Amino acid sequence: MPSLRALADCYRTGDGAPDDKPNLPLAFAYYEEAARQGDNHSLKILGDLYWHGDGCVKDRAKAADFYENAVASGESESLHCLARCYWFGKGVERDKSLARDLWKQYLVTKQDLVPPDELSGLISLPDEDLEEIMEKLDEQTAL
């Protein structure tokens, strides 16, 4: 699994790929196979690829499904991606309450990296501040 994902990473970025050029459709295919074989992080990456339409047709509903599956399999980096889906209602029905809960779950996974007072502040952000963070997450690219 990790070797399939490593190969997919090469084709996604171009690093180590033939002519050092990305091949997103091929990367997508390798991520799909890695995910089928149980690589949970590949589920998150497939969500990112569907979110941006890299190597596939852009499909926010499929992106949200992949993020949901990644979260269900324990892949915590997908929590903020899924929160973004619910915050904006992209690929799922809009649910800011669920988005906020997912955001909190994501932050809890980072508690060893963030001082407790900052963590508390991030968890209890007012909607307008969380909106700004979600917009930045929305702008992030998969590559």
Side-chain angles (χ1 to χ4, degrees):
M1 290 173 294
S3 60
L4 276 175
R5 182 168 22 112
L7 185 57
D9 289 343
C10 289
Y11 283 107
R12 182 174 51 91
T13 63
D15 294 336
D19 300 322
D20 286 328
K21 293 184 180 176
N23 182 332
L24 294 174
L26 190 55
F28 184 87
Y30 280 117
Y31 284 123
E32 280 187 315
E33 185 56 32
R36 266 194 290 282
Q37 292 184 22
D39 184 69
N40 299 336
H41 189 67
S42 290
L43 292 169
K44 189 254 186 220
I45 294 172
L46 286 165
D48 292 343
L49 295 174
Y50 272 117
W51 186 264
H52 297 285
D54 292 332
C56 59
V57 174
K58 182 187 234 180
D59 188 327
R60 299 289 170 85
K62 284 185 181 177
D65 285 342
F66 274 101
Y67 294 142
E68 289 267 9
N69 289 331
V71 166
S73 69
E75 206 291 313
S76 62
E77 288 300 311
S78 298
L79 285 162
H80 74 279
C81 300
L82 191 55
R84 171 191 62 194
C85 293
Y86 280 103
W87 187 265
F88 292 113
K90 292 183 179 179
V92 294
E93 188 173 326
R94 189 173 193 170
D95 186 338
K96 285 188 171 184
S97 178
L98 178 55
R100 189 172 283 283
D101 288 344
L102 291 164
W103 175 248
K104 288 176 187 176
Q105 289 175 45
Y106 172 70
L107 291 174
V108 167
T109 70
K110 303 300 179 191
Q111 65 186 352
D112 56 334
L113 303 173
V114 181
D117 58 324
E118 288 182 35
L119 185 64
S120 177
L122 287 169
I123 287 174
S124 60
L125 284 172
D127 277 0
E128 52 275 0
D129 292 341
L130 188 52
E131 177 95 15
E132 187 176 324
I133 289 172
M134 293 297 165
E135 286 173 355
K136 287 180 183 173
L137 290 173
D138 196 32
E139 295 166 2
Q140 288 181 348
T141 60
L143 295 180

